Amino acid sequence: MRGLFWKFFTITWLMMAASIAGLFAISALLDVGPLSQDIARQQRVFALDVAERLLAQEGEEAAKSFARAARAAPQLVELSISEIGPASVCGDIDTETMRDVVADGRCIRVTSTTPEPGIVAGTWPKLVPWLSALIASAVSAFWLARYLIRPVAYLRHGLSALAHGRFDVRIGDKMDGRKDEVMALAHDFDASAARLQELQEVQQRLFHDVSHELRSPLSRLQAATGVLRQNPSKLEAMMDRMDREIERIDGLVGEILTLARLTAGSGDRAVQTLDLMDLLNEIVEDATFEAQARGIAVSHDRAAAFVAEVDGELIYRAFENVIRNAMKYSPDNSRVSICSQIVDGTLRVTVTDEGPGVPVSELERIFQPFSRGTDAAALNGFGLGLAITRQAIEQHGGRVTASTAARGGLAVTLEIPQATAHKRGGAT
């Protein structure tokens, strides 16, 4: 939160500094400092004192000369000098605006005629600092509140949109180029919304694909029962056909449940300490035996032993799905190569076939549920094997990628990092 803290600190400090500068600027421009009224009063009193002394010591002309000079001063002081009678009429008058002075046997009155400020003019100088501080604090509070509330409002709008099922909402582009924790929160929100949108699309596509995959065997089951009603003598043949369709539905449901469990990220996995090379070698031996019927040669360039704490069933499914997928799409009398090696503490298993391959534009799509190649229609399968493989490996901290093989087939690489496994030296 340091970036946001320093941004708040800078904004608050700048606004306070601006308010102080504004206070001095207003005082300088309007000349309404807090002491100006007191200074003006003292100036009047001082002018009256000087005029009184000049009358008593220098005479009336000297006092009038001073009065003219006072009127011409930058800080105007109006003085009125007038004779009111003989010396006997002079009273004891000594106020801030009037003095009676006896000079040359006469009573001369000195009066300050400078107008007194009204209530507003007298109160205004005292209110200026407080009004300036109030306005400055209001402006700073407004901008600070706006700075804080706007992203919160965008986030609230985004969360409301998510609550109503609109996962296409994004708020990162509304943050006006911010580069702080609020922007990071907006990016996290956008990433979450994108993930929810992706999951929604996957769910909708999964529902569509599941219904499509189930419709075909159910239609064949319905056809088989119709044939039995019309011709009971075909019971044995129809029962075999119904068994195959039921087995197909059972396999599809099992694959869907496995994929759903992996997608949900269930943490209730049975973890065992296994040598993944022994596990892989067992799968390769079974595949080699089955491949003999089609003349497919299966080779395994095995790496050193690699001990890992993994869910053995999931890793077995992942390896088996890739190897059997390679055999399924390989033509007769071809070759399937399996290369396992340990690179920087990561187990890397690459399975390469000599089948028709996959276009580069579809290499990523084959890992999506119910995604199958153009030649898959003639082969058994639901298009879930590679999707299960990716989920299983990613839940162990690894990754699965596909590429085009040198001979035109498909190469699938599975990687399990050292963070999940513990390597044990020695080749076999």
Side-chain angles (χ1 to χ4, degrees), residues 2 14 36 73 98 117 120 139 145 162 194 200 214 217 224 230 238-239 256 278 281 295 297 301 325 350 379 404:
R2 293 183 64 85
L14 288 177
S36 60
M98 184 181 302
V120 176
V139 172
L162 292 183
Q200 183 191 42
L214 287 175
Q230 296 177 2
M238 290 300 101
M239 288 297 293
I256 292 173
D278 290 343
N281 199 53
D301 183 7
N325 195 69
T350 302
L379 302 171
T404 301

Side-chain angles (χ1 to χ4, degrees), residues 20 28 31 44 57 60 81 83 88 91 113 119 124 133 225 326 420 426:
I20 295 174
D31 194 19
R44 291 196 299 271
Q57 299 175 7
E60 185 177 354
I81 301 175
E83 181 181 347
S88 59
T113 58
I119 296 177
W124 171 250
T225 57
T420 303

